[in-house]
Amino acid sequence: MRVLLVAPEAYPLVKVGGLADVVGALPKALKPLGVEATLLLPWHRGLAARGVGEVRFPFAGKEVQAPLGERVEGGVRFLLLGVEGFDRERVYGYPDDAERYLRFARAAAEVARGFDLVHAHDWTAALLALYAPTVYTIHNLAHQGLLDPGLFFFLTGLPWSLFHMEALEYYGKVNLMKGGIVFARLVTTVSPSYAEEIQTPEFGMGLDGVLRKHAHKLRGILNGLDPEVFDPAQDPHLPAPYSREDPSGKALAREAFRRATGLRPPILAYISRLDPQKGLDLVLEALPRLGELGFSLYVQGVGEEALAQGFREAEAKHPGWVRFVPAYDEALARLAYAGAEAVLVPSRFEPCGLVQMIAQRYGTPPVARAVGGLKDTVEDGKTGVLFQSYHPEGLLYGVLRLFRLGAEALGLRGMDKDFSWEGPARAYLEAYRRALG
Ligand SMILES: Nc1ncnc2c1ncn2[C@@H]1O[C@H](COP(=O)(O)OP(=O)(O)O[C@H]2O[C@H](CO)[C@@H](O)[C@H](O)[C@H]2O)[C@@H](O)[C@H]1O
């Protein structure tokens, strides 16, 4: 079976968040199952690849050409599509994102002709479902890709007959995420709990009705974690390797992390995008109490300016025990996963979440909110702590409970958990077969 995975980002070429980890790992896990998976990404600025030809596609009433590049990384074949609008510094965050990703997806539909099936990821690739047999994976329902219908139908040349409630129309706009859900042969999301939650008004982001209607083709497949990328026994960013059998190297990681941050233990770490999804307002509100209780706080992430401002101010006010690193830094992130006493994941909603899985793999217990994939991956009271209410007191209670239960022992137990890709890859193969059958 030849499958084309279409996504905006993929590790190790380009990564903003968890989507890249998942898309980068899945092809490797599918290989032993007989699936030949190729990854197609936009040719973002700075990515080196060998030119292998050109893709011609209709767009905005004209025939357009885009160079196609190829590169093999870790045994995975990447194709890079050089459509206009991607020679930029960032992957997302421009006013014309919907339009440039539409161009990318339309061109990708031509590349898809050489494959049995498309596996499209998130709204940026959702359009593929209208052109090829597609399995569509929702990584995050919060970003849907809304376009003015006039612009959408002019650019794609698709018929206006698609502009109705059962197809692409959404409150007077075209909604690409909705198109993916309606037109894909099968829809998956990244944890069983999130698959349930998004069918309710609380988590459905306005699409719960559509998801309920298409529930018969919706599956929750829990993300795995790439065992080679995230492994404290062979992580070049750590001062010494360690494992469940011999965790002694973890003490060195703790020392190195304390030295790098100037913080005193116990250190609570947050490593992720600065996004309202992630519950950082709770961390800011709980912050003074955490300080009074003797904790240090480490926050690493880029994203919303208002949240960054909040943590800059907190650090300026409490330089002794708050450290804010407004950067994407893989090496520091690994040191934090290995060297902190606990990792905070207080998300408002969480499709799956990799942070809590990485933390457990590195023997550091998460304090996470009991939503979505967090519920499916943290064993409350055994490998971490889950708290219910979206309130600073909920988070504080979770933190205190973890340390009462014994953070270190829970962390070690978390290292026994199996987050391998074997099960998820088999579930995707089953989804592919159904989509083609
Ligand atoms: N500043 C920084 N420096 C270094 N590393 C950083 C970083 N900021 C983030 N990261 C890394 O990015 C990844 C974050 O992954 P998550 O899955 O937890 O969240 P994200 O919301 O990005 O993903 C979305 O897609 C994934 C994949 O399906 C879902 O798990 C998730 O719920 C959904 O919101 C982790 O590997 C983390 O270490």
Side-chain angles (χ1 to χ4, degrees), residues 87-429:
D87 182 17
R88 298 189 191 174
E89 204 176 312
R90 283 175 282 124
V91 175
Y92 320 99
Y94 297 98
D96 62 343
D97 275 359
E99 185 180 331
R100 63 198 190 102
Y101 275 105
L102 192 69
R103 191 180 297 114
F104 164 67
R106 182 60 193 84
E110 299 302 319
V111 181
R113 289 176 194 275
F115 292 81
D116 301 316
L117 184 75
V118 167
H119 184 177
H121 295 268
D122 264 356
W123 72 268
T124 51
L127 184 79
L128 271 297
L130 280 90
Y131 292 90
T134 296
V135 169
Y136 178 56
T137 295
I138 302 170
H139 292 266
N140 196 335
L141 205 54
H143 308 285
Q144 301 184 354
L146 298 180
L147 279 137
D148 173 73
L151 184 65
F152 175 83
F153 290 108
F154 166 67
L155 293 176
T156 59
L158 284 166
W160 274 90
S161 57
L162 290 167
F163 195 58
H164 64 88
M165 246 179 73
E166 306 299 327
L168 298 177
E169 194 271 340
Y170 180 82
Y171 297 101
K173 297 262 188 191
V174 163
N175 184 322
L176 293 171
M177 169 72 78
K178 180 176 175 183
I181 296 165
V182 172
F183 290 99
R185 295 195 177 173
L186 216 80
V187 179
T188 73
T189 187
V190 289
S191 70
S193 289
Y194 194 58
E196 294 297 322
E197 288 171 353
I198 55 179
Q199 296 180 51
T200 67
E202 191 188 350
F203 293 99
M205 305 267 173
L207 289 176
D208 47 294
V210 180
L211 285 157
R212 281 196 300 278
K213 180 144 192 242
H214 293 274
H216 60 281
K217 61 173 188 182
L218 174 65
R219 313 262 185 289
I221 301 177
L222 194 66
N223 285 334
L225 207 57
D226 191 320
E228 286 165 20
V229 176
F230 299 104
D231 180 6
Q234 50 172 351
D235 190 326
H237 306 300
L238 303 186
Y242 66 90
S243 61
R244 174 71 162 116
E245 292 68 42
D246 179 10
S248 52
K250 194 165 166 57
L252 296 177
R254 287 204 171 111
E255 265 174 47
F257 183 53
R258 289 167 197 169
R259 229 180 302 119
T261 58
L263 293 172
R264 278 191 320 267
I267 308 174
L268 309 173
Y270 171 93
I271 309 124
S272 207
R273 296 175 302 111
L274 302 183
D275 190 289
Q277 164 190 350
K278 301 292 182 183
L280 287 160
D281 50 337
L282 297 192
V283 178
L284 282 169
E285 282 178 63
L287 194 136
R289 286 279 291 136
L290 289 172
E292 280 165 27
L293 290 164
F295 291 102
S296 295
L297 181 68
Y298 176 79
V299 174
Q300 179 180 336
V302 281
E304 284 217 353
E305 178 46 33
L307 290 167
Q309 177 68 14
F311 287 106
R312 265 198 306 273
E313 282 168 12
E315 187 185 46
K317 197 166 170 195
H318 311 290
W321 57 272
V322 176
R323 197 67 67 246
F324 174 46
V325 177
Y328 182 91
D329 186 326
E330 196 75 46
L332 250 178
R334 301 302 177 88
L335 198 57
Y337 283 121
E341 270 64 38
V343 166
L344 304 181
V345 200
S347 306
R348 193 180 289 273
F349 68 93
E350 196 59 74
C352 177
L354 299 180
V355 166
Q356 81 286 1
M357 293 202 233
I358 304 170
Q360 288 173 89
R361 183 123 170 85
Y362 281 68
T364 303
V367 175
R369 178 138 180 273
V371 281
L374 301 173
K375 242 176 11 189
D376 297 346
T377 52
V378 178
E379 287 177 67
D380 183 44
K382 294 208 173 86
T383 66
V385 159
L386 290 170
F387 68 94
Q388 299 289 333
S389 60
Y390 191 81
H391 193 279
E393 290 300 328
L395 173 61
L396 281 164
Y397 173 68
V399 169
L400 290 176
R401 198 171 143 239
L402 173 71
F403 284 88
R404 208 169 51 228
L405 289 167
E408 192 154 352
L410 266 67
L412 283 179
R413 217 178 289 142
M415 294 185 88
D416 289 336
K417 281 188 77 70
D418 176 15
F419 294 123
S420 78
W421 265 105
E422 274 171 46
R426 272 197 303 276
Y428 278 112
L429 176 61

